[in-house]
Amino acid sequence: MNMQASKTSGLNNPEIRNYSFNFGPQHPAAHGVLRLILEMDGEVVQRADPHVGLLHRGTEKLAESKPFNQSIGYMDRLDYVSMMCNEHAYVRAIESLMGIEAPIRAQYIRTMFDEITRILNHLMWVGSNGLDLGAMAVMLYSFREREELMDCYEAVSGARMHATYYRPGGVYRDLPQQMPRYKESKWRKGAKLKRFNDWRDGSMLDFLDKFTDDFPSKIDEYETLLTDNRIWKQRTVGIGVISPEQALAWGMTGPMLRGSGIAWDLRKKQPYAMYANMDFDIPVGRNGDCYDRYLVRMAEMRESNRIIKQCVKWLRENEGLPVNIDNFKVAPPKREAMKDDMEALIHHFKLFSEGYCVPAGETYSAVEAPKGEFGCYLVSDGANKPFRLHMRAPGFAHLSSMDAIVRGHMLADVVAMIGTYDIVFGEIDR
C-alpha cells in the first residue's frame, strides 16, 4: 500500500496523525480501475476520495464519427455485464427520433433478453461480492448458471458477451430452433456429456423453459450459503446504511434505491417494450444496508425468472411473426429479395456503408438496467451519425456517494460498500 502521513490530526488524539493511502487501482476488490484515496484514523475511514479516469475510452465522442448502427457494439462495452440492456437504451433513443417501433415479437424478445441480462448481472454480482467478503464457494455456484445463459447470448448473436443483437426497429434475427450442443472432449464425455446436453435437444425456448423451471432451486442454494450465514450477516448487516432521503439526493436508482425502501422501477413506472403486460413485483428493502441490497438482488432474480417464463410462453404461441421493421432504409432486406430486386440490393449496400439519416431533434431514452437507470441522451442534426451522445450511467451517481457513506466505517467495510454498489467501470469511465 502506498501510505503517507497527512497533516490532519487524529480525531481523538492530537498526537496521532491520519494516514492516506491508495485503495486500487490495482486491487482485486476495486472492481475495475478505481483509485480510492482513503484517509484513515487507524482502521476507521475519515475520508474517501474516488478517482476515475484511468479507463476512459471516449465512447461518446467516438459515436459522433460513426453511423448510428456502428455504435451499437460500443454499448455492450460500457457496462460489460449488462450488455443487451445498454443496447436497448441506445436503439430506443434512435427509434424515438425516427418515429418507428419494433414489431411485437421483437419487443417480447427484447423483454426476455433484458431479464436474462439482469440475471447474468446479478449472478456475477453475488459471486464476486461473496468472494470480496470471504465466501468463496458461491462464485462457483453462480457461474454454473451464468454459463447456461451465456449460451443463449451465443445462440442468437454468435458472441457470448458483446452481442450487438438489438437493432433500431427490432432485433438482428429470430430465436434459433436449435441450441448449441457440447461436443465430446476429455473434460466432457459419456454420462457427463449427456447431462450437459440434456436441455439442448430442442429450441432456445425449450432450453429456457427447462432453465426457468430449475433456476429457483439454484437461487435457494445461493441463499443457503449466504442469507443466514452469520459471517455474511456480520459483514453486511448495518453496513453502508443509506436512508431514502440520501438515496434520492445522490440520484441513486436500481437496487441501491430499492434497497432503501423506495419502490421505483422504470419497468413499472414508465413501462417500455412489453413490461406493461408482465406480471412481476418490485422487491424493496427496509434498512438500506448492504444486506438489504443483497436480498433485493436475490429477489429480483426470482422476478426476472417469472418474466422470462411469461415471454417464453407468448413467443412459443406466436411463432413466425416478424422481428424487424419492414423498412429497407433502417433494416436490411432479406437475401432472397436482393436476388430479384435491384432496389433492395441498393438499400442493402447503402445501409451497411453509409447508414441511415435520423431526423433532427433530441431525445432521452432510459431502461431499468440491472444496476439502475441506464439512459441515452441523443442529439441528431439530420445526418447519418449522432451530433451528440451522452450516456447516463447508474454507477457514476452511486460511486459519487462513497465519501458520505463510508465515513466512520472500518477499512474492511469499504470493500463491502464497493461490492454493494455493483460498479463496472466501462460505464462509469466511458
Side-chain angles (χ1 to χ4, degrees), residues 75-377:
M75 300 301 115
D76 294 301
R77 291 158 174 83
L78 292 171
D79 176 359
Y80 39 80
V81 192
S82 310
M83 297 73 67
M84 289 198 197
C85 290
N86 305 343
E87 294 177 23
H88 203 167
Y90 179 64
V91 300
R92 282 189 69 225
I94 296 172
E95 288 170 351
S96 172
L97 285 178
M98 297 191 75
I100 61 176
E101 189 172 318
I104 187 169
R105 184 172 175 85
Q107 299 279 18
Y108 268 97
I109 291 173
R110 286 181 182 181
T111 303
M112 183 177 76
F113 267 100
D114 277 11
E115 297 310 309
I116 288 173
T117 304
R118 195 176 315 279
I119 293 176
L120 284 172
N121 182 93
H122 289 352
L123 287 176
M124 169 68 87
W125 176 84
V126 72
S128 60
N129 199 29
L131 201 61
D132 286 345
L133 302 186
M136 296 184 67
V138 71
M139 184 76 151
L140 305 175
Y141 281 69
S142 64
F143 266 65
R144 174 186 58 192
E145 280 67 62
R146 203 164 184 273
E147 284 299 302
E148 302 280 12
L149 292 180
M150 283 293 190
D151 287 347
C152 295
Y153 259 56
E154 185 178 7
V156 296
S157 71
R160 292 178 70 78
M161 284 188 67
H162 304 312
T164 322
Y165 179 56
Y166 293 5
R167 296 286 193 279
V171 294
Y172 166 50
R173 60 182 176 187
D174 206 345
L175 304 177
Q177 293 302 311
Q178 179 65 53
M179 282 293 286
R181 295 174 63 84
Y182 288 99
K183 296 180 180 178
E184 185 171 340
S185 68
K186 62 180 179 180
W187 296 284
R188 295 188 181 95
K189 51 187 173 184
K192 189 174 183 180
L193 177 66
K194 182 179 183 304
R195 177 170 61 81
F196 272 94
N197 283 330
D198 271 347
W199 294 357
R200 292 171 166 77
D201 289 333
S203 67
M204 175 182 285
L205 295 177
D206 296 329
F207 176 86
L208 285 170
D209 255 339
K210 292 170 182 172
F211 178 88
T212 50
D213 288 341
D214 182 65
F215 188 53
S217 67
K218 297 300 189 288
I219 303 176
D220 292 341
E221 290 181 7
Y222 314 147
E223 295 219 59
T224 301
L225 286 168
L226 295 179
T227 302
D228 291 322
N229 183 311
R230 70 168 191 252
I231 302 173
W232 179 256
K233 293 181 80 170
Q234 286 167 352
R235 292 300 307 274
T236 56
V237 173
I239 302 300
V241 176
I242 302 172
S243 68
E245 295 76 21
Q246 280 180 306
L248 289 171
W250 283 106
M252 291 182 177
T253 51
M256 294 297 295
L257 183 64
R258 295 190 285 273
S260 295
I262 298 177
W264 177 263
D265 189 314
L266 292 179
R267 297 172 296 170
K268 286 279 192 184
K269 305 298 184 183
Q270 299 172 10
Y272 55 95
M274 299 311 298
Y275 283 112
N277 296 358
M278 297 291 119
D279 178 26
F280 67 102
D281 299 316
I282 305 175
V284 294
R286 294 180 180 177
N287 306 311
D289 57 9
C290 289
Y291 188 68
D292 270 18
R293 291 186 284 272
Y294 154 75
L295 293 176
V296 164
R297 287 183 172 106
M298 300 306 282
E300 281 190 4
M301 286 198 284
R302 297 184 190 273
E303 297 304 316
S304 292
N305 201 62
R306 285 176 60 193
I307 294 171
I308 294 169
K309 284 186 78 72
Q310 294 169 63
C311 291
V312 168
K313 181 177 183 296
W314 189 94
L315 289 165
R316 194 186 294 283
E317 293 169 355
N318 295 272
E319 294 277 0
L321 296 178
V323 296
N324 216 327
I325 194 169
D326 186 19
N327 181 346
F328 292 166
K329 291 184 178 179
V330 182
K334 294 188 181 300
R335 186 178 293 271
E336 298 80 30
M338 288 190 290
K339 291 181 178 178
D340 303 319
D341 188 345
M342 179 58 72
E343 185 180 354
L345 185 64
I346 293 170
H347 276 300
H348 170 85
F349 282 115
K350 185 175 175 60
L351 181 65
F352 285 101
S353 58
E354 183 183 325
Y356 48 83
C357 293
V358 171
E362 59 183 313
T363 188
Y364 175 76
S365 176
V367 300
E368 187 65 39
K371 295 173 174 62
E373 180 180 329
F374 184 90
C376 174
Y377 172 65

